[in-house]
Amino acid sequence: MWEDIQVEVEKVDAGNLKTKPSSGDLGFGNYFTDHMFLMTWSKEDGWHDAKICPYQDFKMDPASMVFHYGQAIFEGLKAYRGKGDQLFLFRPADNLERMNESALRMCMPRFPVDKVLKSLKALLYLEKEWVPHADGATLYIRPTMIAAEPALGVRPAAKYHFFVILSPVGAYYAEGCSPTKIFVSDEYVRAVKGGVGKAKTGGNYAASLYMSEIAKKAGYTQVLWLDACEHKYIEEVGTSNIFFKIDDELITPPLEGTILGGITRDSVIKLAKSWGEKVVERKISIDEVIEASNAGRLQEAFGSGTAAVISPVGELFYHEKSYVINKGETGQLSARLFSELQSIQNGQQEDSFKWVVRVG
Ligand code: COI
């Protein structure tokens, strides 16, 4: 069990280290660092074989249950380079706790957050040169767990791999932090009440691809999902939560099991409240947003997420009609949230919420 195991460290030979990409060419998730963290869980031994090792391919049995029944969960967080080259993580324990909640929902084993966080910090320290120096570029961290038992019966697997890979990234959207165009889907849905919408499991993302491709072909960056029952209430954008500022009130859909409980979402709510903004978590229908837009009361809209950070929405497309938000420009609140979050994350701004964790 975890208490007894040592995290082995196997380093890549200095001569075999990868060439690091230049910060301008990063995009999102295209490059991976030299090392990764890996451990295995089995019914008999619990978590074992924990190691920091060279980034490597997996050899997996084609019957591994993840390939058939989709037991796969993941997380996304980032390491930031701040003043004096100090590295920081933003609310990392919250990501790992959320992963444990996803594990529970998907019948997968939970792990000790403090121990995994310690290993993650050790991995980051080893890979510190991979954390980009350029403004806005970060090292994206992807913890993942997959079912590894080779068996075809439909039941929870008896063996899992947990791994963490690291990828130096720039902005998630090609638009950077310029406003995106969003397609509102009232035909296809992402998640249903009682389903797995709030779990960060690969299937939720697979389910979003069909509509996302249609939206992309029509010139839209992302899809805004509506509820699966009435196709009326706003849920989330597949890669981020969503906020609307209407009549000086910041509104975001409540966490009722169908959307991801975003850590950036929670940070936005807390930050905005601390500035005296009125923030409400409540059901909001697409009709209410369209009505507010028509009446000139929709002041701004933005998505929030680890990858997307704060991503302003410049246009909504719904029922064959386009609704431009804030003249297609980044709103004041979106801009303030983006810059404040960024300066907390890279340690430049006082961290009164105690969100930031130093590495090394
Ligand atoms: C994140 O914001 O980290 C996400 O997981 C979104 C995504 C790139 C799947």
Side-chain angles (χ1 to χ4, degrees), residues 28 74-77 140 142 172 200 205 238-240 305-308:
F28 186 87
F74 70 93
E75 268 303 323
L77 63 160
Y140 186 77
R142 174 53 64 87
Y172 184 74
K200 212 161 168 61
Y205 297 80
T239 51
S240 49
T306 299

Side-chain angles (χ1 to χ4, degrees), residues 4-73:
D4 312 322
I5 62 172
Q6 294 294 317
V7 178
E8 305 279 328
V9 181
E10 187 196 333
K11 289 191 196 172
V12 175
D13 294 337
N16 290 330
L17 291 171
K18 297 177 187 171
T19 306
K20 295 179 182 61
S22 75
S23 291
D25 301 333
L26 292 174
F28 186 87
N30 301 319
Y31 301 95
F32 300 95
T33 69
D34 294 295
H35 299 88
M36 62 191 284
F37 174 75
L38 178 60
M39 64 179 180
T40 299
W41 184 93
S42 66
K43 245 184 183 159
E44 312 75 54
D45 301 325
W47 289 112
H48 60 280
D49 280 352
K51 58 187 179 191
I52 289 172
C53 57
Y55 187 97
Q56 58 195 262
D57 291 347
F58 285 130
K59 185 164 179 286
M60 288 187 72
D61 192 303
S64 296
M65 290 171 90
V66 64
F67 298 140
H68 305 275
Y69 308 126
Q71 268 185 302
I73 56 173

Side-chain angles (χ1 to χ4, degrees), residues 321-348:
K321 251 186 105 176
S322 231
Y323 299 86
V324 174
I325 303 172
N326 193 39
K327 302 193 196 89
E329 288 164 16
T330 300
Q332 254 179 24
L333 183 59
S334 314
R336 182 173 181 199
L337 283 163
F338 180 81
S339 93
E340 197 103 346
L341 266 176
Q342 225 183 19
S343 34
I344 295 174
Q345 287 164 340
N346 62 26
Q348 273 165 358

Side-chain angles (χ1 to χ4, degrees), residues 221-239:
T221 325
Q222 273 287 321
V223 175
L224 178 61
W225 302 101
L226 302 181
D227 77 277
C229 222
E230 296 179 72
H231 294 204
K232 178 174 169 186
Y233 294 103
I234 287 169
E235 297 246 299
E236 64 167 49
V237 182
T239 51

Side-chain angles (χ1 to χ4, degrees), residues 234-252:
I234 287 169
E235 297 246 299
E236 64 167 49
V237 182
T239 51
S240 49
N241 295 111
I242 187 90
F243 286 83
F244 296 95
K245 188 170 179 184
I246 298 175
D247 289 334
D248 286 327
E249 194 174 76
L250 192 58
I251 306 161
T252 195

